[in-house]
Amino acid sequence: MKALQWLLTHSRSGKALAVKRVTENQGKKTPGVDGETWSTPDTKSQAVLSLSRRGYQPLPLRRVHIPKSNGTLRPLGIPTLHDRAMQALHWLALEPVAETRADRNSYGFRPHRSPADARAQCFITLARGNSPYWILEGDIKGCFDNISHQWMLDHIPTDKAILRKWLKAGYIDHGHLFPTEAGTPQGGIISPTVANLTLDGLEGQLAEQFGQRNSKHAWKNQVNLVRYADDFLITGRTKELLENEVKPLVENFLKVRGLTLSQEKTRVTPIEEGFDFLGWTIRKYAGKLLIKPAKKNVKAFLDNSRETVKANKQAKQENLIRLLNPKIRGWAHYHRGVVAKQTFAKVDKEIWKTLWQWAKRRHPTKGRRWIKDRYFRSNGTRHREFAAESTTPDGERRIMTLVKE
């Protein structure tokens, strides 16, 4: 395996694929501390030739902070393009190994897996009449920031010298250099795979302790794991089993890796009370399992949509539609496989109210009918469709409408 990894990380084809990845993704125009971007064919070809293990020394990360849904800030470390390309190159050699070691029910940052797969596994595990009644909602405190460097160097199957340099590169925040004593930076290409390798093995330990799949012991305890990156849930037949046996096992598993459970957010919940997971609320109503969009997720989406409308008070109607359509379409597609009819109707109504206020503000002296005819149209059973005329690059006139969930 190590020989194959060495061949791949030293091949010109592997280096070309690494440069291709970092120059064609969404962050291709985001520079690191050196301020460089590779935007021309010449710089990209020179970048392929510059990816060498000999003499490689990564630069510190550029620290930025992005807001989280709970109001706090999430720190991100942005490597330089050269360091991103080196990470992408070694990720090519690490990802196949990570897949062979991955837990069966791990769904985050893995090829051909998605949150919808994790949701489906939750339904399979919890929907039956004799399914587990209690759920341990696990929340790891600062997962990416606290993974033990020594554990990663001892157990991550990649080039140890290169990995050590990445982990000890430090970061620059407001002009000051800070060392990194633990964790893998959020924002690095290889970081999600490293985090998955760190958390893989928990499902095996649970199966060993509480019974293999389909065994009588497993059926008695009903212990199942579903994990998406650092968010996970564990089912159990009784509350005492989860609190007194499963939770200590998880804590010991994480302690070796330098991680701890958040005592405030980790809790044991009955399925009839329900719990939130990956933006959905999973709950049983009179014995029937329903999965709905979580209230926090709906609120965050509506707040973001309102902010977009508010920030474009003077924009053309067609430009506002272009900004809103990808947001609405992406959010609706994420939730279309769950019980979301009432939620979609509510969101549609709230967005319409926001757009109506936007239109009224633009024409304070006009009547409602004039505003309705100017910005909205009837289409079948829909009598208030937000629509505008636009011109295609070919000069053809067409109607652009706001998508409906």
Side-chain angles (χ1 to χ4, degrees), residues 13 56 61 165 175 208 211 288 308 332 335 341 356 359 368:
S13 297
Y56 171 67
L61 307 174
K165 290 179 180 179
E208 183 179 349
K288 183 175 183 179
T308 301
H335 293 292
K341 182 178 179 180
W356 179 253
R368 293 184 177 184

Side-chain angles (χ1 to χ4, degrees), residues 323-335:
L323 290 173
L324 289 175
N325 274 354
K327 298 177 184 289
I328 298 173
R329 188 178 290 112
W331 183 83
H333 284 188
Y334 186 81
H335 293 292

Side-chain angles (χ1 to χ4, degrees), residues 175-404:
H176 298 284
L177 176 63
F178 297 89
T180 47
E181 302 297 337
T184 176
Q186 297 186 60
I189 289 177
I190 205 169
S191 296
T193 303
V194 170
N196 266 339
L197 281 166
T198 303
L199 298 176
D200 282 332
L202 178 58
E203 188 170 15
Q205 287 195 17
L206 290 170
E208 183 179 349
Q209 180 73 21
F210 301 102
Q212 296 293 333
R213 180 178 292 273
N214 297 327
S215 70
K216 293 182 179 179
H217 197 38
W219 180 254
K220 177 182 177 182
N221 294 311
Q222 294 187 329
V223 175
N224 302 279
L225 169 74
V226 180
R227 180 170 68 83
Y228 188 92
D230 58 339
D231 292 330
F232 67 90
L233 60 91
I234 302 174
T235 66
R237 181 176 286 276
T238 65
K239 183 177 183 179
E240 292 73 20
L241 172 70
L242 292 177
E243 289 183 339
N244 301 330
E245 298 185 49
V246 173
K247 187 177 177 182
L249 184 149
V250 174
E251 289 175 335
N252 292 332
F253 175 87
L254 296 175
K255 184 178 179 181
V256 176
R257 292 153 174 80
L259 301 172
T260 57
L261 285 175
S262 171
Q263 299 302 322
E264 299 80 16
K265 298 180 181 179
T266 300
R267 62 195 188 107
V268 178
T269 308
I271 188 62
E272 290 184 353
E273 182 180 320
F275 61 94
D276 289 353
F277 185 59
L278 301 180
W280 296 297
T281 296
I282 303 173
R283 181 180 175 185
K284 270 190 175 179
Y285 299 83
K288 183 175 183 179
L289 186 75
L290 297 181
I291 303 177
K292 302 179 180 181
K295 291 182 178 179
K296 289 182 180 179
N297 184 275
V298 175
K299 182 180 183 301
F301 171 70
L302 286 175
D303 289 346
N304 181 266
S305 300
R306 290 174 182 134
E307 284 297 323
T308 301
V309 175
K310 185 177 179 180
N312 291 272
K313 294 177 180 177
Q314 305 301 327
K316 291 183 179 180
Q317 185 182 9
E318 59 185 270
N319 292 337
L320 181 59
I321 292 174
R322 287 193 180 97
L323 290 173
L324 289 175
N325 274 354
K327 298 177 184 289
I328 298 173
R329 188 178 290 112
W331 183 83
H333 284 188
Y334 186 81
H335 293 292
R336 64 181 178 181
V338 302
V339 182
K341 182 178 179 180
Q342 292 182 352
T343 303
F344 282 178
K346 175 188 173 183
V347 168
D348 186 50
K349 180 180 178 181
E350 292 298 322
I351 290 178
W352 182 88
K353 287 166 61 177
T354 302
L355 293 173
W356 179 253
Q357 293 297 324
W358 175 86
K360 285 206 306 181
R361 182 190 176 279
R362 293 164 72 92
H363 305 282
T365 62
K366 298 292 185 179
R368 293 184 177 184
R369 184 174 296 278
W370 187 95
I371 295 174
K372 188 263 182 188
D373 293 338
R374 172 67 176 80
Y375 292 102
F376 300 87
R377 70 165 190 166
S378 296
N379 183 15
T381 57
R382 297 192 71 196
H383 300 292
R384 51 184 187 180
E385 188 174 61
F386 195 64
E389 280 194 2
S390 64
T391 306
T392 64
D394 300 331
E396 182 181 350
R397 303 291 294 177
R398 66 185 180 91
I399 299 295
M400 177 180 291
T401 61
L402 193 73
V403 297
K404 189 175 184 295

